[in-house]
C-alpha cells in the first residue's frame, strides 16, 4: 500500500469558512452566481462572472473527471497533483489519492474524498470513481 501524504492545514477566511465547515461534515460545497447560474470555485464574496455579491452556496455532487495530472514520483511520499473538471462545471486544482498513479487517465471519472490535514481540518481531494 502506498504511503499517504498529509496535506498542510488550510487557513480559513470569512469567505471560505462555510466551505471548510462543510468539508469537516463530509460535504463538498460550491458557490453559484445567481445572475448567470454558473458554479465557481474557489469560494469568494463576489461572482467571478459579474463582480456582484449575488451568490449562493449549494452542495455539489462531488463527481468529476480527471482533466490533467502530474505525478511527483521522487517526492516522499510520491503524490499526484491534478486538475479535476467538476460535474457542475468548474475546474479545480487538487490531489488524487487512493489510486495507482500508473493507471490514471485523462477523462477518468473521479469522486471527492476528504483527507485530514495536519491540524485535522478535512481537505477535499479526489480518487478514481468505481
Amino acid at each position: 500500500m502506498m504511503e499517504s501524504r498529509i496535506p498542510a492545514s488550510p487557513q480559513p477566511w470569512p469567505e471560505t469558512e462555510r466551505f471548510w465547515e462543510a468539508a469537516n461534515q463530509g460535504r463538498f460545497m460550491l458557490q453559484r452566481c445567481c445572475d448567470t447560474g454558473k458554479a465557481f470555485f474557489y469560494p469568494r464574496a463576489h461572482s467571478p462572472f459579474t463582480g456582484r455579491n449575488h451568490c449562493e452556496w449549494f452542495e455539489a455532487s462531488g463527481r468529476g473527471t480527471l482533466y490533467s495530472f502530474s505525478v511527483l514520483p521522487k517526492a516522499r511520499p510520491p503524490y499526484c497533483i491534478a486538475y479535476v473538471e467538476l460535474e457542475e462545471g468548474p475546474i479545480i486544482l487538487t490531489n488524487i489519492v487512493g489510486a495507482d498513479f500508473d493507471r490514471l487517465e485523462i477523462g477518468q471519472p473521479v469522486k471527492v474524498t476528504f483527507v485530514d490535514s495536519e491540524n485535522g481540518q478535512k481537505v477535499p481531494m479526489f480518487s478514481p470513481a468505481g
Side-chain angles (χ1 to χ4, degrees):
M1 180 157 166
M2 186 176 282
E3 184 181 353
S4 295
R5 183 173 163 262
I6 299 172
S9 299
Q11 171 63 53
W13 298 99
E15 295 88 359
T16 65
E17 276 185 59
R18 190 160 178 191
F19 176 81
W20 294 117
E21 288 170 3
N24 281 337
Q25 299 167 4
R27 298 168 52 228
F28 186 59
M29 301 295 287
L30 292 177
Q31 287 176 285
R32 175 176 22 240
C33 173
C34 293
D35 296 321
T36 66
K38 293 181 183 179
F40 59 89
F41 185 87
Y42 59 89
R44 59 195 109 177
H46 297 87
S47 167
F49 308 111
T50 65
R52 296 184 61 210
N53 185 7
H54 192 217
C55 308
E56 65 182 357
W57 286 94
F58 69 98
E59 188 167 355
S61 69
R63 294 185 300 269
T65 56
L66 194 53
Y67 183 82
S68 177
F69 68 94
S70 182
V71 175
L72 290 87
K74 293 185 179 183
R76 292 293 168 241
Y79 67 99
C80 178
I81 190 166
Y83 281 105
V84 166
E85 184 171 10
L86 300 174
E87 192 172 77
E88 293 80 7
I91 296 174
I92 69 167
L93 182 63
T94 187
N95 286 131
I96 302 297
V97 296
D100 176 349
F101 297 151
D102 292 331
R103 298 183 63 130
L104 294 175
E105 296 179 11
I106 302 298
Q108 180 175 3
V110 293
K111 62 182 179 182
V112 73
T113 187
F114 295 91
V115 177
D116 287 336
S117 68
E118 292 169 338
N119 72 359
Q121 169 64 58
K122 297 205 179 291
V123 177
M125 295 187 179
F126 287 78
S127 61

